[in-house]
C-alpha cells in the first residue's frame, strides 16, 4: 500500500542516537532516519554507497580521501554521498537528525563490529 | 571527489518545470531535483521504484491502486515511494520543489513518450 511518510513525525517516535530506523524501501535500498550525537566509529562499506541528508542540526563528516583525512560540515537541506570503500566517521556536537539512503545489505558500522553495530533494524 | 550538495542552492540554478537535474549518484541510482507546476502525464515505470521528497510547495500525487484512482498531497519534509508498475500522475497547483531518487535507467515519463519526456538529463 502506498503511504506518505512525514520525516519529522518519524523522527519524533524515538529518542536514542545511532539507531537507524527504516521508513521506506525502494529498488533494494532502504530509506532510514537516525539521530546522532557524539562520535561514531571509523569504518567503510565495501559494496555500498551511502547518502546522508541532514534534516536538523549539523553533521560533521570526517573521511579519508587519497590518503588524506578531511572533514565537512553538513547542515539542514544538505547531503553528502560517501562512496563505497571510503573510510568515514560521522560525528556531531549537537543532536542531529539525518535521512540515510543505502542498500538493504548495509550494516551501519560497515567493515567494523563495535558497540555501535545494529544488526536488526526496526521499521517505523 | 566527495562534495556536499545544498538542495536549495541547486534548485536556485534553474527555473523551468518538469526538467529534472541530476545532483548526485549512488548505487546505480540518481538523486535529482525538479520543479513542477500543473499536470504531468499518467505513466508507470516497469522496473523502477521512484521516491518523491517535497522540499517546498505541495505535490498532489494521483495514482491507481487495485484498479481504484486515489490521490494524496505531499508537503515539505514528506515523501512518497511509487512502486514499479504503478500508474501515477504528479501534479501541483503551485510551483513545487522535489527531490527524486530513482535508478539511472529511469525515463521521466516511464512507458509513455510525450512533450514532457526528457531524454538526456543535465547534471548540475
Amino acid at each position: 500500500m502506498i503511504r506518505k511518510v512525514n520525516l519529522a513525525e518519524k523522527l519524533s517516535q524515538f529518542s536514542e542516537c545511532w539507531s537507524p530506523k527504516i521508513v521506506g524501501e525502494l529498488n533494494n535500498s532502504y530509506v532510514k532516519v537516525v539521530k546522532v550525537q557524539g562520535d561514531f566509529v571509523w569504518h567503510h562499506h565495501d559494496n555500498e554507497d551511502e547518502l546522508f541528508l541532514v534534516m536538523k542540526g549539523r553533521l560533521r563528516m570526517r573521511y579519508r580521501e587519497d590518503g588524506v583525512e578531511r572533514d565537512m560540515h553538513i547542515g539542514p537541506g544538505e547531503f553528502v554521498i560517501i562512496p563505497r570503500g571510503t573510510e568515514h566517521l560521522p560525528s556531531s556536537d549537537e543532536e542531529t537528525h539525518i535521512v540515510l539512503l543505502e542498500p538493504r545489505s548495509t550494516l551501519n558500522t560497515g567493515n567494523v563490529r563495535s558497540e555501535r553495530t545494529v544488526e536488526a533494524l526496526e521499521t517505523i
Side-chain angles (χ1 to χ4, degrees), chain A residues 1-20:
Chain A
M1 194 183 133
I2 295 175
R3 64 188 183 125
K4 176 171 77 170
V5 174
N6 183 301
L7 289 164
E9 189 275 320
K10 291 294 184 190
L11 281 155
S12 75
Q13 289 186 30
F14 62 98
S15 56
E16 68 271 31
C17 284
W18 306 113
S19 182

Side-chain angles (χ1 to χ4, degrees), chain A residues 76-88:
Chain A
E78 297 179 331
F79 73 80
V80 66
I81 293 170
I82 301 295
R84 60 195 69 186
T86 302
E87 289 288 328
H88 60 288

Side-chain angles (χ1 to χ4, degrees), chain A residues 44-48 84-85 110-111:
Chain A
H44 70 269
H45 304 276
D46 284 328
N47 301 306
E48 298 105 349
R84 60 195 69 186
N111 63 313

Side-chain angles (χ1 to χ4, degrees), chain A residues 83-102:
Chain A
R84 60 195 69 186
T86 302
E87 289 288 328
H88 60 288
L89 186 155
S91 163
S92 185
D93 291 337
E94 61 191 293
E95 183 177 294
T96 296
H97 298 182
I98 301 171
V99 177
L100 299 172
L101 182 87
E102 49 198 11

